[in-house]
Amino acid sequence: MVHRTGIYGFLAIYLIILVISYLGHLYTYQHSTTELSSLQLWLYSMSQVTFTHAYSGVIFTAQPTSFHLFSAIITLISSWLFHATLLWLVWRLFGNSSERSFAVARSLTTAGWVMLLCTLIVALFFLYAIPSDLSSGSFIKKMLAGCTLSINSFNNAGFSNWSYFFDENPLAGNFMIQVGVIGGTVLGSLGIYVLIELFSPVKLRQRLANPAIDWSFLTKISLFGAAAFLIAYSVLHIVIGNAEVFANKNILESLSSILMQGVSARGFGWELTHQYGDIGSFLHAAFTFFGAGPISTGGGATLLFFVFLYRMIAPPYHISFQINVTFKIIKTWLILFIICLSVLSFISIISVDDITFSDLFYLYTNHDLQISAGENVFSGILKSTAMITGRLSFITACIIVINRVENASRTF
């Protein structure tokens, strides 16, 4: 098991980040208009490092600027760790001979530069897009809002504290801010590996010199899958929403609202509106489960789930090495998914807790977190466990597959 050191190192660093997140939020928290319990702070802290949208009402929006600044920083650090780890894993699983030899340090450096460039571009757009009257005329709050929106959209982390920055909900009604969120979330959902292949100057020069060079397996899935997903979701959204989709909006605003719903489902699962009933909520949850880009910070099984289904029905001569590897990853992930959710559900049932299976499903797939004033310790443990295990499960599945593939190759 040659990758034990790598996964143990990742887990150790992630555990440290979890502790720092809680201690940092505890330190920056002040007893302002709302007093928070340690459990509420813990759940909010975990949501920031598992990229889970947290519904918390006003209990966190009344906190000082330092509290929300720390939230943005800890989310950025966590996402850097995840993006770098995912990039290293995809090199090991799908890369060429030279990419397979790349060290973890290289993935940290590469992921850091790509993240920095993308978040800066999106943050600059938000500084232009956010009107001063939304942020109460405060440039500092406007700048922090732009950076937070950029970090959270690129890393599929939801918008737990938007009401701290804005006097109204611009995510539901401001066209320019929605465009920024759509752009940032689409970029983040593509994944660092795909962004490098599409926009790296080295890759661009290679394709210009030799037009026969094709995109990689993952890039095709991510690009074409994202396009197909957003088209399908938009059509279903219009059919289900009917007249409500276009109420009090022009065509561009309606399209922006629909795409905003789509990228939120693809990225972090937050429903912008809840007006389409049970069918709409079911479709939204389903798209959240398998809509995210492969090897990205999006939740669920990602678009690789469709490759898994294809592998089950395709004839043997159509199955490539990449398809086989993808099948093994998703198969392993599904086993972990079933085991973890079964254990958590069983614990919830025997403890007579009010957490339902759907609550645990959403938390495990990093959909959203409800934080109420009446949280008890046991429910807090279950919720945070579901979030953390869900966020780690895909990486764990990839590590298991790498070891199996390399052990099998050494056998021969």
Side-chain angles (χ1 to χ4, degrees), residues 240-260:
I240 295 171
N242 202 2
E244 289 85 352
V245 173
F246 304 101
N248 303 316
K249 298 184 183 74
N250 59 38
I251 294 177
L252 280 179
E253 290 171 339
S254 299
L255 179 62
S256 173
S257 178
I258 292 169
L259 290 176
M260 178 72 182

Side-chain angles (χ1 to χ4, degrees), residues 98-119:
S98 62
E99 289 175 335
R100 289 194 182 103
S101 65
F102 289 162
V104 175
R106 178 160 182 165
S107 69
L108 283 167
T109 304
T110 305
W113 279 113
V114 174
M115 282 182 58
L116 180 63
L117 182 61
C118 290
T119 52

Side-chain angles (χ1 to χ4, degrees), residues 40-321:
Q40 289 172 326
L41 276 172
W42 167 258
L43 287 173
Y44 180 83
S45 302
M46 294 307 98
S47 74
Q48 299 305 293
V49 294
T50 56
F51 321 124
T52 305
H53 179 79
Y55 290 95
S56 54
V58 299
I59 60 177
F60 293 110
T61 57
Q63 306 314 314
T65 300
S66 57
F67 182 90
H68 300 286
L69 177 61
F70 179 78
S71 293
I73 292 173
I74 201 68
T75 299
L76 184 63
I77 293 172
S78 303
S79 62
W80 181 21
L81 174 65
F82 271 89
H83 280 299
T85 304
L86 290 168
L87 179 59
W88 180 74
L89 289 172
V90 75
W91 282 340
R92 301 290 306 194
L93 289 164
F94 300 100
N96 53 40
S97 57
S98 62
E99 289 175 335
R100 289 194 182 103
S101 65
F102 289 162
V104 175
R106 178 160 182 165
S107 69
L108 283 167
T109 304
T110 305
W113 279 113
V114 174
M115 282 182 58
L116 180 63
L117 182 61
C118 290
T119 52
L120 279 177
I121 291 173
V122 178
L124 288 174
F125 178 85
F126 278 123
L127 286 178
Y128 163 77
I130 299 172
S132 298
D133 57 331
L134 275 181
S135 54
S136 305
S138 170
F139 179 75
I140 298 298
K141 185 174 282 190
K142 178 179 179 179
M143 186 169 62
L144 181 56
C147 292
T148 300
L149 286 173
S150 174
I151 292 169
N152 286 24
S153 59
F154 182 78
N155 296 301
N156 303 287
F159 304 101
S160 306
N161 52 2
W162 68 263
S163 55
Y164 170 78
F165 301 107
F166 304 113
D167 295 330
E168 56 183 276
N169 187 353
L171 302 177
N174 188 293
F175 172 74
M176 291 299 291
I177 293 179
Q178 286 182 357
V179 169
V181 171
I182 292 168
T185 306
V186 168
L187 278 176
S189 292
L190 289 175
I192 297 291
Y193 181 85
V194 176
L195 291 175
I196 292 171
E197 180 160 8
L198 291 177
F199 304 113
S200 166
V202 174
K203 299 284 187 181
L204 288 172
R205 284 196 298 269
Q206 289 175 348
R207 285 198 295 272
L208 286 173
N210 183 10
I213 296 177
D214 199 5
W215 285 336
S216 70
F217 172 77
L218 287 180
T219 299
K220 290 178 181 178
I221 293 175
S222 191
L223 280 179
F224 298 133
F229 168 86
L230 290 176
I231 291 172
Y233 187 90
S234 299
V235 171
L236 289 171
H237 196 78
I238 292 172
V239 171
I240 295 171
N242 202 2
E244 289 85 352
V245 173
F246 304 101
N248 303 316
K249 298 184 183 74
N250 59 38
I251 294 177
L252 280 179
E253 290 171 339
S254 299
L255 179 62
S256 173
S257 178
I258 292 169
L259 290 176
M260 178 72 182
Q261 283 279 88
V263 298
S264 70
R266 176 175 162 81
F268 48 86
W270 178 33
E271 287 189 78
L272 202 63
T273 59
H274 300 268
Q275 61 189 18
Y276 306 126
D278 293 337
I279 296 178
S281 295
F282 172 78
L283 287 173
H284 195 88
F287 279 120
T288 298
F289 181 74
F290 52 66
I295 321 295
S296 74
T297 52
T302 77
L303 289 167
L304 296 180
F305 184 75
F306 294 105
V307 181
F308 171 82
L309 295 178
Y310 173 78
R311 167 63 177 77
M312 295 179 67
I313 62 175
Y317 54 85
H318 282 169
I319 298 173
S320 64
F321 170 78

Side-chain angles (χ1 to χ4, degrees), residues 39 375-382:
L39 181 60
E375 291 286 351
N376 61 70
V377 174
F378 194 82
S379 69
I381 293 174
L382 277 180

Side-chain angles (χ1 to χ4, degrees), residues 344 347-348 351 353 355 360 378-386:
L344 291 171
I347 294 173
S348 176
S351 65
D353 198 271
I355 300 179
L360 293 172
F378 194 82
S379 69
I381 293 174
L382 277 180
K383 288 180 177 180
S384 57
T385 301

